[in-house]
Amino acid sequence: MLYQRDYYICNPYTKQFVHIPPSSRCLKEVRVGFICDPYYKEEVDLKQESNIQVDSDFRFAIVRIVPQLSDQYCSAFKFDAEIFSSEMGRWTQSVVDSPRDICLDSLDRSGGIAYNGMLYWWSAHDGFIIGLDPYYYSSNKHHDYYPAYFHSIDVPFIPNGYRFSHLSVSQGGRLRFCHFKNGVPVPSVCVWELKDDKGGQEWCCLTGYISLRPMVHQSLPYYEWGRHLVDSVVVLAFDPSNDDIFYLQFFDRVVACNIHEKKFKKTRLSIPCNSVVRFGRAVFPFVLPRWQTPLPRLK
């Protein structure tokens, strides 16, 4: 988990993997993100017939954001990023200029989220999401700030007592985030979705506040709620094939939550308690593709 500079790209469907050349810098902790173009594109013609086009020149990129060397939270308008792209075939280093002060140490450790050709991280300390275009920074020698290549997204106001839990992309291609409240006597979770309509960005609340009272009653007596819930309830992922479903780690069990029905259902899956809190995201959405995506040979 620490001082890591070796990375592998894996295709779980084909069970193939490729070893990425190690980064030249071995740092205690970095924030990592991965983005990959789709191997095939589905186009619909005027007759409403589907046409599948294979993109043999698809590309991928890995980003390492380097936190400031400090034992305390500190902010900066510039930060270092190491980027490996399939187009370059090697690690490149860039200085990213930000229009806003960012506390890099508070960026989500679970990994960057790929959305609309960019990688996004949530900053819990700053209260907004940052987005970076890895392909631009891996191939451009200039480090000037351009809004199209790096920008931030403000999130809706989160009431006191709620903490951010998860940033993800839905099956329909919308950016979503959840926040969780360890409230007594009613702990709850809320889901938001970003609407990119008519050139503007607006957050829409999908759920209101979903009470976790039914699940708590089945798991803990009343007097133990506050002591155990903080590190034992984590939003894991949204269902990759059903936008209405997201998954929670509820102590050592995985629970499916239906957004519209606001109902919970236990699954057969289990995760060791606190594993997500300690080590970041323990699961990720995965959909079996129509065609397998081959791992490209590196130059």
Side-chain angles (χ1 to χ4, degrees):
M1 298 303 297
L2 303 179
Y3 298 103
Q4 183 58 260
R5 63 175 188 158
D6 290 300
Y7 297 93
Y8 295 83
I9 296 179
C10 175
N11 186 328
Y13 184 55
T14 62
K15 298 181 177 60
Q16 295 176 320
F17 65 89
V18 59
H19 182 210
I20 302 300
S23 168
S24 60
R25 304 176 67 180
C26 189
L27 303 166
K28 180 179 180 180
E29 186 176 7
V30 296
R31 304 297 188 266
V32 182
F34 173 71
I35 187 171
C36 180
D37 290 345
Y39 182 56
Y40 60 88
K41 299 179 180 179
E42 185 173 1
E43 299 178 352
V44 180
D45 57 22
L46 296 177
K47 297 180 180 180
Q48 299 299 315
E49 295 180 355
S50 179
N51 183 24
I52 303 298
Q53 298 290 337
V54 174
D55 182 10
S56 59
D57 296 325
F58 75 98
R59 55 186 180 171
F60 69 85
I62 302 171
V63 176
R64 289 171 28 118
I65 293 180
V66 181
Q68 295 94 335
L69 299 177
S70 173
D71 294 334
Q72 298 179 348
Y73 282 146
C74 55
S75 300
F77 287 92
K78 291 185 177 182
F79 60 90
D80 294 334
E82 297 177 302
I83 302 174
F84 184 95
S85 69
S86 55
E87 296 174 311
M88 300 292 289
R90 58 183 174 84
W91 289 95
T92 59
Q93 298 189 20
S94 294
V95 177
V96 181
D97 292 335
S98 168
R100 305 174 69 169
D101 201 10
I102 300 175
C103 180
L104 298 178
D105 298 313
S106 71
L107 293 182
D108 187 15
R109 288 176 169 81
S110 296
I113 300 298
Y115 171 67
N116 278 354
M118 300 186 71
L119 282 169
Y120 288 87
W121 285 265
W122 159 254
S123 176
H125 179 271
D126 301 310
F128 56 80
I129 299 167
I130 66 170
L132 184 149
D133 182 349
Y135 300 118
Y136 168 79
Y137 284 101
S138 66
S139 59
N140 198 300
K141 296 181 180 179
H142 301 287
H143 301 146
D144 297 333
Y145 165 70
Y146 294 96
Y149 307 117
F150 179 83
H151 67 273
S152 61
I153 302 175
D154 290 313
V155 298
F157 172 74
I158 300 178
N160 292 333
Y162 282 85
R163 63 184 181 90
F164 176 84
S165 295
H166 186 68
L167 179 68
S168 185
V169 176
S170 68
Q171 178 202 14
R174 301 278 193 175
L175 194 66
R176 288 181 172 180
F177 79 88
C178 298
H179 55 266
F180 164 75
K181 181 178 182 180
N182 177 26
V184 177
V186 184
S188 58
V189 64
C190 183
V191 181
W192 296 81
E193 183 173 87
L194 184 66
K195 303 290 186 180
D196 287 307
D197 297 328
K198 299 180 181 180
Q201 293 181 331
E202 180 181 356
W203 289 100
C204 174
C205 185
L206 298 180
T207 62
Y209 298 106
I210 303 177
S211 173
L212 302 181
R213 182 195 294 269
M215 295 304 304
V216 172
H217 272 302
Q218 298 177 28
S219 305
L220 288 175
Y222 172 84
Y223 62 85
E224 291 186 342
W225 288 6
R227 181 175 61 172
H228 291 284
L229 279 176
V230 173
D231 294 333
S232 301
V233 179
V234 179
V235 179
L236 296 176
F238 287 92
D239 193 293
S241 57
N242 188 340
D243 279 349
D244 289 340
I245 303 296
F246 69 93
Y247 297 94
L248 295 170
Q249 178 190 2
F250 201 87
F251 299 92
D252 62 342
R253 303 299 303 176
V254 176
V255 178
C257 175
N258 188 295
I259 291 177
H260 290 99
E261 296 179 0
K262 297 185 178 182
K263 294 182 179 180
F264 299 93
K265 181 180 179 180
K266 290 184 178 180
T267 71
R268 298 180 180 180
L269 304 176
S270 63
I271 297 178
C273 286
N274 298 329
S275 62
V276 178
V277 176
R278 294 176 183 175
F279 304 119
R281 186 184 307 150
V283 299
F284 61 92
F286 179 70
V287 180
L288 292 178
R290 297 192 181 186
W291 285 283
Q292 62 188 33
T293 302
L295 294 177
R297 294 182 178 181
L298 300 178
K299 299 179 181 179

